[in-house]
Amino acid sequence: MINDGTVPLLNDFYQLTGNPILLPKFGLYEGHLNAYNRDFWKEDEKGILFEDGKRYKESQKDNGGTKESLNGEKGNYQFSARAVIDRYKAHDMPLGWILPNDGYGAGYGQTETLDGNINNLKEFGNYARKNGVEIGLWTQSDLHPKDSISALLQRDIVKEVRDAGVRVLKTDVAWVGPGYSFGLNGALLTWVIRCLIMVTMHGHLLSH
């Protein structure tokens, strides 16, 4: 590409590649990624200090401790994803987005059905947005339901975006090489679903 000056040259470049991506406002703030639906926390003098003044050690296997969750609804608030949001707020640290399932085998709910787990994610999303934080998911598994796997690891990208309010998608490291197009298709599908929701909402407003 040859042109006179920086601006014309950049315009030529963007004509070839498309315009630069403009991140949503929440994407300019810090994000928090971890798994909050899998691990167990047991008292240990060499562990991490929590708000109750005790130290706990984390384990991905059941060590007889307290199992974490997204919403802290099982007497496990300090090990929940909600507690993480509250800690950022308590220390006056702006948080833009959070991925609560960023770990192998985590999922985002502990019910016996996919719909029950999506409702759990929705409750967490409502709490997060009330505190100015958007939610996202790590795409460990397929994006659509499969009866052959447990409810814990089932996914439904349509309901996650439409019902639970997911706004961030982290594609999996396994989606490279032969699966690279799978990752791109997953990101594209999320964008399409988001656009359809916006069109539907806009039509609803116009009808009123």
Side-chain angles (χ1 to χ4, degrees):
M1 292 176 291
I2 301 175
N3 213 321
D4 297 325
T6 304
V7 174
L9 188 60
L10 281 175
N11 287 335
D12 291 343
F13 178 72
Y14 292 147
Q15 185 175 6
L16 176 65
T17 64
N19 290 327
I21 296 174
L22 179 63
L23 290 175
K25 185 177 180 180
F26 70 82
L28 302 176
Y29 289 88
E30 182 176 355
H32 188 99
L33 298 80
N34 207 343
Y36 293 99
N37 194 61
R38 177 192 64 190
D39 297 349
F40 295 81
W41 293 83
K42 188 175 182 179
E43 281 191 54
D44 189 307
E45 61 181 12
K46 295 182 180 180
I48 300 172
L49 181 64
F50 277 80
E51 287 85 352
D52 63 359
K54 301 177 182 179
R55 293 183 178 273
Y56 296 86
K57 189 174 182 180
E58 184 180 18
S59 174
Q60 293 185 20
K61 297 181 179 180
D62 189 347
N63 59 1
T66 302
K67 187 174 184 179
E68 61 194 8
S69 70
L70 267 61
N71 294 299
E73 72 281 10
K74 300 182 178 181
N76 56 351
Y77 165 75
Q78 66 179 359
F79 307 118
S80 71
R82 285 195 184 198
V84 172
I85 293 176
D86 292 341
R87 289 183 188 117
Y88 275 90
K89 192 172 183 178
H91 290 87
D92 196 26
M93 294 180 62
L95 179 66
W97 50 280
I98 182 172
L99 271 60
N101 74 325
D102 194 39
Y104 287 106
Y108 46 72
Q110 299 173 22
T111 73
E112 298 298 321
T113 66
L114 173 58
D115 284 342
N117 290 339
I118 288 177
N119 186 64
N120 185 64
L121 180 65
K122 179 180 179 180
E123 290 179 3
F124 174 66
N126 290 339
Y127 184 81
R129 286 184 290 275
K130 186 175 68 174
N131 287 276
V133 180
E134 294 291 346
I135 66 169
L137 291 174
W138 170 49
T139 54
Q140 174 189 338
S141 52
D142 292 323
L143 298 180
H144 302 284
K146 281 191 174 180
D147 294 334
S148 58
I149 62 176
S150 67
L152 173 67
L153 294 181
Q154 283 197 46
R155 298 288 304 275
D156 190 329
I157 187 67
V158 175
K159 291 182 179 179
E160 290 164 357
V161 174
R162 182 191 66 198
D163 301 340
V166 167
R167 294 296 178 264
V168 181
L169 177 69
K170 174 189 170 185
T171 55
D172 186 73
V173 67
W175 291 10
V176 296
Y180 189 64
S181 61
F182 183 48
L184 293 176
N185 290 338
L188 175 61
L189 180 59
T190 304
W191 176 79
V192 170
I193 294 171
R194 173 66 172 151
C195 289
L196 289 174
I197 291 173
M198 293 178 66
V199 170
T200 302
M201 293 177 61
H202 183 66
H204 177 73
L205 291 174
L206 290 178
S207 65
H208 288 74

